[in-house]
Amino acid sequence: MGGIRVVARIRPQQQSEPERDCILSATGHDGDATSQPTMVRIPSFKNENEVFSFQFSSVYDQASTQQAIFDNEITPTIKHLFNGFDVTIFAYGVTGTGKTHTMRGGKSLADRGIIPRLLSSTYRRCRKIEKDSAGKTSVGITLSYYEIYNDKVFDLLEAPEKRTMSGLHLRDNGGKTVVVGLTERPCESLKEFEKMYDEANVNRSTSATKLNAHSSRSHAVLCFKVTMTTGDEVRVSTASAIDLAGSEDNRRTENGKERLIESASINKSLFVLAKCVEAISQNQARIPYRESKMTRILSLGQNNGLTVMILNLAPSRSYHLDTISSLNFANRTKKIEIREIENEPITKGCSRAVPAAIGPSMHRQPLRPLANAIHNTAMGKKAGSKQEDKPAKMFSVYSDRPRNPSMSTQVHKDAARRSSPLKRPSEAGSSGIIRPAKRRSPARDHNSSRVMSKEAIEDMIEKKVTDILATRAMDNSSAAPVPEISEDVQRRLELLEKKIDGHYDEREQGLTYLLMAKQHAVRGEDRSALRMFLLARDYFPDNSKLAMKIEKLQSMLKEKQSTKQESLEARTNDRVREEPDRPIEEAADFKETKTNTGHNGKPANDEYREEIGGDSEDGYDSADSFRYRPKKSKANKKGATVSIVQSTDIPDSPRTKQLLSIINSRDVGRIRLLQGVGAKRAEAMVEALCGGEEGDGSCQVVVSSLVQLGHLRGVGVKTVEKMRSGLTA
């Protein structure tokens, strides 16, 4: 058992830090300044006259060099590394105390850090071992490098573009924590390592803060495995160099949004590390390693090897509280005891020998009874009178009574026949004590020695198959018979299959039109229902019922149209005959169109609207909004004159005759002079009178009444009234 070796290093003061603010001092034991310093002295934050002293394995002041720290603290661990021990070296401290400088160093030879010096010494020792063994021993080095950024593990030997958002995962393997999917690259020389190491450091997360221009934003872990092969014996040992990120006070670093997230992750992992050290020092049952990935990888107190902690300190007064906190943490860490266990060598291509010595002279340590054996005994006594004379069974699997010599010989032969070099022997077998084999009964030996012929095997298989088929036949006969499918059901199934396959798309469309026609008919929309029936007739041309419905609707619509037209003209002519000089009232012409309802109580004026082109009587408020579109009429002969309504015997008033003569003259100049008629409206009226819908002027319309005049495009009831009132009698 050994403890963690803690080495304290005080960085030099920066130019911005005055010398009077230096509060740390390194002294030897009992204040001896000539010997190697082992104590750090710092005054109390509240009372400067009170001085705290912390003793460590070694303390290096501001004048110490990289070479001195490596020679005194790291070089002795290289010998243990080649002897099969694992080595862990990590730097701890507040941000801006020189951890990365201690581990990585600079580019110059004197400023090289612990990691490049460690690899350089390792390669030199590898060459020395290979040279001294005359080539019998070969040494290989495998390198892996990763970082823990925001509690996520990322491989630094891979490009950042190949990273995943979740990072790499951790797994436990034989008591050690391994990173799944981590890249391991063989490294043959120091030059190859330096190139690989520099490229990987470019991928590491660093950023500038107020306290450090190149602050590490992640924990970096460099691992290299040393594999020594001598014949069939292989020994593997691992060295880990960890550069921890420093804890930060965001009030001093003035971090932004992204830096705050990184700082929170760093402080959390370091806080969990402090909790682990506190739990170990107090011998608690649970140590919270798994609360952070950094503590899970570091595993202080669980790793079986040498551990060196380098405590980096800042001498300035501005770091006073942080320095005291770091010293207290290091003081607890040095008390942790670890097991320095050498890694066992692995033998290649050779299995362990299986001892075959079995005999009556075997002495086996009796097994301990179970904890509830007394309880089982007591329960056995209460079972009944039949079991009272029978003792309760404990562990009587193995007996120390001597066996029959002839039987021992038989057991020895059976054990030798069943033994395999692939099976691992028990712990007792490795020390010469062999577990006896079970006694084989003569009947079992007799049956195993008998060999079945090929014909016997075939007969047995045939018998089994016959029995199974017979059983299934009986089960099927007992079940109820399945009725045959009728032709009607079969035809319906085929229709459904065709429908599913898409063969009945046209029929489905026709049925859709029929359904829509029925819905329109229920709502009283006879014209829309007729249109849907006509569309459905294309899909069902031979359906007599559909043809009858279409004829019935067409005759019904014709009767409605003629009845409405006759009643409208009769009422208008009656008013003109009774009071020829009275203005036409707006509601007299179209009142019936609003009051007529269908057979379900809703307005049934869809046909009338479609016939005259208007939406409602509100369309007559202004002539511009009137949207009358007369039906296209085809003339049998060019130049024929068509009258919309037959002339009646009712005489017109002089004013009405004068207005109709002006309109029928088709003179735009005369029409535009009428009251309420402009140039555009006059042109629209002339175009309607001359058959403007056709565009060839072959069919001319003669206006014979004020009703027809109000039906022209661009003319309404109010416009007709204005034109009549503007004329002189």
Side-chain angles (χ1 to χ4, degrees):
M1 298 291 289
I4 296 177
R5 183 176 177 85
V6 179
V7 178
R9 183 183 186 183
I10 305 173
R11 69 160 173 82
Q13 282 187 300
Q14 299 177 357
Q15 295 180 357
S16 59
E17 298 173 348
E19 295 183 0
R20 64 177 181 274
D21 288 344
C22 182
I23 58 175
L24 282 181
S25 61
T27 60
H29 191 62
D30 296 334
D32 188 4
T34 58
S35 61
Q36 174 66 32
T38 57
M39 297 185 66
V40 176
R41 296 182 180 273
I42 182 173
S44 174
F45 182 77
K46 296 181 179 180
N47 185 9
E48 293 188 357
N49 295 327
E50 182 181 2
V51 179
F52 298 139
S53 299
F54 298 89
Q55 185 173 1
F56 303 109
S57 300
S58 299
V59 178
Y60 294 88
D61 57 9
Q62 303 179 26
S64 61
T65 60
Q66 300 273 59
Q67 184 66 37
I69 297 175
F70 179 78
D71 292 341
N72 297 333
E73 308 300 336
I74 309 301
T75 300
T77 62
I78 299 176
K79 179 178 67 175
H80 295 280
L81 179 65
F82 282 89
N83 289 336
F85 291 91
D86 293 338
V87 177
T88 302
I89 304 168
F90 69 97
Y92 179 88
V94 189
T95 180
T97 54
K99 298 181 298 300
T100 304
H101 177 75
T102 301
M103 299 300 294
R104 188 196 304 179
K107 292 294 183 181
S108 62
L109 188 62
D111 290 340
R112 287 191 309 165
I114 290 176
I115 293 176
R117 293 176 186 272
L118 178 60
L119 267 297
S120 177
S121 301
T122 303
Y123 280 114
R124 285 199 303 268
R125 193 171 185 87
C126 290
R127 291 194 295 268
K128 183 177 182 301
I129 291 174
E130 292 176 351
K131 183 179 180 180
D132 294 343
S133 62
K136 294 181 180 180
T137 302
S138 61
V139 184
I141 296 178
T142 306
L143 185 71
S144 61
Y145 194 21
Y146 59 94
E147 69 173 353
I148 306 173
Y149 177 72
N150 287 344
D151 208 34
K152 298 178 183 178
V153 180
F154 298 106
D155 193 351
L156 293 177
L157 297 181
E158 295 290 341
E161 295 81 12
K162 297 182 180 180
R163 293 181 178 180
T164 59
M165 294 297 294
S166 59
L168 303 179
H169 300 280
L170 303 182
R171 296 291 183 270
D172 293 332
N173 184 17
K176 295 183 180 180
T177 303
V178 296
V179 182
V180 180
L182 186 64
T183 303
E184 292 186 355
R185 296 184 182 179
C187 207
E188 302 295 337
S189 62
L190 180 62
K191 186 176 182 181
E192 184 179 354
F193 160 75
E194 291 177 350
K195 179 181 178 181
M196 192 183 305
Y197 186 59
D198 292 339
E199 292 176 355
N201 284 326
V202 175
N203 299 330
R204 188 182 177 187
S205 302
T206 58
S207 181
T209 62
K210 187 177 180 180
L211 299 181
N212 191 355
H214 302 281
S215 176
S216 301
R217 314 309 298 169
S218 64
H219 309 295
V221 182
L222 175 70
C223 298
F224 62 92
K225 292 182 180 179
V226 179
T227 305
M228 299 177 59
T229 306
T230 305
D232 294 337
E233 185 177 289
V234 179
R235 186 188 297 270
V236 180
S237 54
T238 305
S240 302
I242 305 173
D243 179 16
L244 298 179
S247 59
E248 296 180 349
D249 186 354
N250 293 315
R251 295 170 297 181
R252 298 176 57 202
T253 56
E254 298 181 359
N255 290 329
K257 179 179 179 181
E258 186 176 358
R259 302 287 87 80
L260 279 173
I261 298 174
E262 297 169 350
S263 176
S265 178
I266 294 170
N267 292 339
K268 175 189 173 184
S269 59
L270 295 175
F271 176 70
V272 174
L273 179 61
K275 287 173 61 179
C276 293
V277 172
E278 183 71 19
I280 294 172
S281 61
Q282 295 181 2
N283 296 325
Q284 295 182 4
R286 179 186 177 276
I287 302 174
Y289 288 115
R290 291 180 174 269
E291 293 185 7
S292 174
K293 291 186 178 180
M294 185 268 288
T295 55
R296 189 175 175 185
I297 291 173
L298 189 58
S299 298
L300 286 179
Q302 285 190 337
N303 47 358
N304 302 328
L306 301 176
T307 303
V308 179
M309 171 183 171
I310 300 176
L311 176 63
N312 292 88
L313 302 173
S316 178
R317 187 180 298 274
S318 58
Y319 291 87
H320 199 155
L321 289 176
D322 296 330
T323 302
I324 293 177
S325 177
S326 299
L327 289 171
N328 288 325
F329 172 79
N331 193 44
R332 291 192 299 268
T333 304
K334 71 177 183 180
K335 300 176 182 179
I336 298 176
E337 294 183 353
I338 56 176
R339 299 182 298 273
E340 299 177 0
I341 301 176
E342 179 183 354
N343 295 327
E344 294 183 358
I346 304 172
T347 305
K348 298 190 303 182
C350 180
S351 60
R352 296 183 179 180
V354 180
I358 302 175
S361 60
M362 183 200 72
H363 298 283
R364 182 179 178 88
Q365 183 179 2
L367 297 177
R368 292 180 296 176
L370 292 175
N372 58 350
I374 300 174
H375 174 72
N376 294 338
T377 305
M379 293 297 294
K381 290 181 179 180
K382 296 179 182 180
S385 59
K386 294 183 179 180
Q387 298 181 358
E388 289 180 357
D389 55 345
K390 185 177 180 180
K393 279 191 176 181
M394 301 293 283
F395 284 98
S396 58
V397 179
Y398 303 105
S399 176
D400 296 335
R401 293 178 296 177
R403 290 179 177 271
N404 190 2
S406 60
M407 199 64 201
S408 300
T409 306
Q410 181 68 24
V411 170
H412 172 71
K413 291 180 181 180
D414 294 339
R417 183 171 60 252
R418 294 197 310 271
S419 63
S420 172
L422 300 177
K423 295 182 179 179
R424 295 181 59 186
S426 62
E427 297 296 334
S430 61
S431 61
I433 301 176
I434 309 302
R435 180 175 177 175
K438 293 182 179 180
R439 177 181 293 181
R440 297 173 62 89
S441 62
R444 184 179 298 177
D445 295 340
H446 176 69
N447 294 334
S448 62
S449 62
R450 185 175 61 186
V451 179
M452 297 181 66
S453 62
K454 182 178 180 181
E455 292 78 6
I457 295 174
E458 292 178 355
D459 294 341
M460 183 177 64
I461 294 174
E462 185 177 359
K463 184 179 179 182
K464 291 287 185 182
V465 172
T466 305
D467 295 342
I468 293 173
L469 293 177
T471 305
R472 290 183 179 178
M474 293 178 64
D475 295 340
N476 294 334
S477 62
S478 61
V482 180
E484 296 182 359
I485 301 176
S486 62
E487 294 181 359
D488 188 17
V489 175
Q490 185 68 27
R491 182 174 58 82
R492 292 183 180 181
L493 291 175
E494 292 177 357
L495 291 176
L496 287 175
E497 291 179 357
K498 291 181 180 180
K499 184 176 181 180
I500 293 172
D501 295 338
H503 297 297
Y504 271 59
D505 292 342
E506 295 182 357
R507 180 180 175 85
E508 188 71 23
Q509 186 66 26
L511 293 175
T512 303
Y513 286 140
L514 288 176
L515 178 61
M516 294 173 64
K518 291 180 180 179
Q519 292 175 352
H520 285 300
V522 169
R523 291 195 295 264
E525 301 169 356
D526 296 334
R527 186 169 295 277
S528 299
L530 176 61
R531 189 182 295 109
M532 292 296 106
F533 279 130
L534 291 174
L535 291 174
R537 186 174 59 182
D538 298 337
Y539 298 96
F540 307 101
D542 301 332
N543 196 325
S544 59
K545 292 184 178 181
L546 180 60
M548 292 175 60
K549 288 183 179 180
I550 293 174
E551 293 178 0
K552 185 178 180 181
L553 280 175
Q554 287 177 346
S555 61
M556 185 187 303
L557 290 174
K558 287 181 180 179
E559 292 177 359
K560 286 184 178 180
Q561 182 178 354
S562 60
T563 303
K564 290 178 181 179
Q565 189 72 14
E566 291 175 358
S567 62
L568 180 63
E569 291 180 356
R571 286 199 307 272
T572 305
N573 293 331
D574 291 342
R575 287 184 179 278
V576 172
R577 190 187 321 108
E578 293 174 359
E579 299 178 5
D581 296 332
R582 184 178 178 179
I584 303 175
E585 295 181 3
E586 180 178 352
D589 296 331
F590 301 97
K591 183 176 181 181
E592 187 176 352
T593 62
K594 294 185 63 177
T595 57
N596 288 339
T597 56
H599 47 267
N600 60 348
K602 295 184 179 180
N605 56 355
D606 292 340
E607 299 82 17
Y608 178 74
R609 290 178 182 174
E610 188 166 336
E611 192 68 28
I612 66 175
D615 294 336
S616 65
E617 72 171 347
D618 295 338
Y620 292 91
D621 292 341
S622 62
D624 294 332
S625 64
F626 188 84
R627 294 178 293 179
Y628 166 71
R629 290 184 176 85
K631 286 189 174 181
K632 299 179 182 180
S633 57
K634 296 183 179 180
N636 295 330
K637 295 181 181 180
K638 188 174 181 180
T641 303
V642 180
S643 178
I644 298 176
V645 181
Q646 297 294 332
S647 60
T648 61
D649 297 335
I650 303 173
D652 294 332
S653 64
R655 187 180 299 180
T656 302
K657 292 180 180 180
Q658 184 182 359
L659 176 61
L660 294 178
S661 64
I662 295 173
I663 297 298
N664 290 326
S665 67
R666 298 175 179 79
D667 188 357
V668 177
R670 294 180 63 188
I671 296 174
R672 64 182 296 183
L673 295 177
L674 295 174
Q675 185 178 355
V677 180
K680 292 184 178 180
R681 186 172 297 179
E683 292 177 357
M685 294 169 62
V686 172
E687 184 180 356
L689 292 172
C690 296
E693 295 290 332
E694 296 287 339
D696 53 0
S698 59
C699 181
Q700 296 182 354
V701 179
V702 176
V703 180
S704 59
S705 65
L706 295 178
V707 176
Q708 296 180 19
L709 180 60
H711 289 173
L712 290 179
R713 182 176 60 184
V715 182
V717 176
K718 290 185 177 181
T719 306
V720 174
E721 184 181 348
K722 288 180 181 179
M723 288 189 294
R724 286 185 72 255
S725 61
L727 295 174
T728 58

